[in-house]
Amino acid sequence: MLDLRETAATLEQFVEGAVVVRDAAILSTRMAREVDKWTLEPLGEIRVGVTEYEHRSTGKLLLTVTRFTTAAGRTLSVPYALATKPARGRRLWGARAPAGPARA
């Protein structure tokens, strides 16, 4: 288990290595609510080194982010550096579609 904000930049080390990511999910604790209120959202993709314009002020700063996309399509971008040029990033992990029924 990794804290998203603190480890977004370190996930990049796994892109080229022999590490395999299996069945990723985001655990939402919602500001440390009671444990029975926590939720687990399966991820559809983790992409590192993506660039996005920041949204808080003028929108002119280009940031490098790790982008997490849930199986339901919700995205969470965790910035970790300033960027100088746009980049699509590289997929660290992507969920495989479930196998369909066998055809005769």
Side-chain angles (χ1 to χ4, degrees):
M1 185 164 29
L2 305 170
D3 181 272
L4 293 182
R5 288 189 179 106
E6 297 197 16
T7 59
T10 62
L11 290 176
E12 197 166 306
Q13 70 184 322
F14 299 126
V15 173
E16 297 294 333
V19 174
V20 176
V21 178
R22 298 180 197 265
D23 296 333
I26 292 179
L27 176 65
S28 177
T29 60
R30 302 272 189 217
M31 305 301 256
R33 290 190 311 194
E34 297 296 320
V35 173
D36 61 339
K37 304 280 190 201
W38 292 4
T39 58
L40 191 63
E41 290 185 71
L43 288 176
E45 182 178 73
I46 300 172
R47 190 170 282 271
V48 296
V50 178
T51 56
E52 296 179 355
Y53 286 99
E54 57 89 20
H55 302 287
R56 293 196 174 141
S57 60
T58 62
K60 293 182 180 178
L61 286 178
L62 190 60
L63 304 173
T64 302
V65 303
T66 295
R67 183 182 296 151
F68 301 89
T69 305
T70 67
R74 186 169 73 103
T75 60
L76 296 104
S77 295
V78 181
Y80 60 88
L82 291 175
T84 56
K85 61 182 181 176
R88 290 187 54 210
R90 297 192 324 188
R91 183 186 303 173
L92 173 61
W93 180 79
R96 293 187 181 169
R103 295 189 178 184

